[in-house]
Amino acid sequence: RSEQPPGPAALGAPKAKSAEMPKLKVLLALGDGGQRMMIKAMLCRDNHEVDVCVDGNEAWKKMMVQQEGVWQYDAVFLDKNLTNKSAGEIVGDLRALEAKNKSRKRMYLVCVARDMTDKTRQDWVSLGMNAIIAKGFQRAAIKELMEAVVEAQQQDPAD
C-alpha cells in the first residue's frame, strides 16, 4: 500500500478556521479527462462552482476574465503538463500581472502534479503556486485545500 501524499496544510497552505465553507468558483485546467471528472465531482459535491478546460491557452483566457476588477476564480487547478501555454508560463505571467496591479487579489493556484517529491514542491512553490496536490486525489485533501483558499482570501491584503 502506498503512502498518501501530505495535504495542503503540510505544504504550508494555511488552514481555515471557519466551519461554514462558502461557495467558491474554481477552474480546472487539466489535460486528463478522468482527473477533471474526479476533482470536479468532489468540488461540486461540496457546492462549489466549477469550470473546466483542457489546455493552457484556454485556461489563460478564462483566468483573465474579471468582474468589477476582481478575478472571476477563487482557485485554479493547473496540470503541470498543459499544452499550448504551460503551467509555468501561466503562473509567471499571472504573478507578474498581479505584482503590477497591487490592488488586485492574488489568485490561488494549485499545481496538479504526478508526484509529491521535495523537488516538485520546491520548483512549483518558487514559481508562485500556492499549493500542490499529487495525483491519486482524496476528497478530504480537496476539502482541506478549499479551506486553505478561504483562509488565504481572508488574509489577502488587497481587501
Side-chain angles (χ1 to χ4, degrees):
R1 183 176 168 197
S2 66
E3 192 175 308
Q4 290 296 320
L11 302 175
K15 186 154 171 105
K17 294 174 182 87
S18 69
E20 187 67 30
M21 172 63 70
K23 181 177 185 173
L24 300 175
K25 188 164 182 183
V26 179
L27 175 63
L28 299 179
L30 304 171
D32 183 309
Q35 290 175 6
R36 274 194 315 273
M37 285 182 6
M38 185 182 343
I39 296 174
K40 181 178 181 180
M42 290 178 194
L43 290 168
C44 288
R45 186 171 179 183
D46 290 330
N47 201 34
H48 299 299
E49 182 180 343
V50 182
D51 290 339
V52 297
C53 62
V54 297
D55 77 33
N57 282 335
E58 185 182 3
W60 182 251
K61 288 175 188 169
K62 287 178 179 270
M63 290 168 67
M64 290 300 100
V65 174
Q66 297 180 34
Q67 296 169 353
E68 297 179 16
V70 177
W71 299 126
Q72 72 168 331
Y73 294 107
D74 297 300
V76 178
F77 287 66
L78 294 169
D79 186 332
K80 76 178 216 175
N81 298 313
L82 286 171
T83 59
N84 296 322
K85 185 173 179 80
S86 74
E89 291 172 312
I90 290 171
V91 175
D93 291 350
L94 178 67
R95 295 306 187 217
L97 191 60
E98 289 172 335
K100 265 206 253 186
N101 185 353
K102 295 188 186 302
S103 66
R104 181 178 291 143
K105 283 187 171 219
R106 283 176 51 101
M107 198 177 302
Y108 197 93
L109 301 177
V110 180
C111 176
V112 180
R114 190 165 299 163
D115 60 63
M116 199 61 125
T117 64
D118 287 340
K119 180 173 177 9
T120 299
R121 190 171 26 254
Q122 183 179 23
D123 289 349
W124 288 101
V125 169
S126 69
L127 279 176
M129 289 285 187
N130 297 90
I132 299 138
I133 59 171
K135 297 175 182 179
F137 316 104
Q138 300 294 320
R139 185 161 184 253
I142 299 290
K143 286 181 86 162
E144 185 178 322
L145 183 58
M146 299 313 290
E147 290 170 356
V149 172
V150 171
E151 181 70 18
Q153 289 177 340
Q154 293 168 351
Q155 294 177 357
D156 197 318
D159 285 337

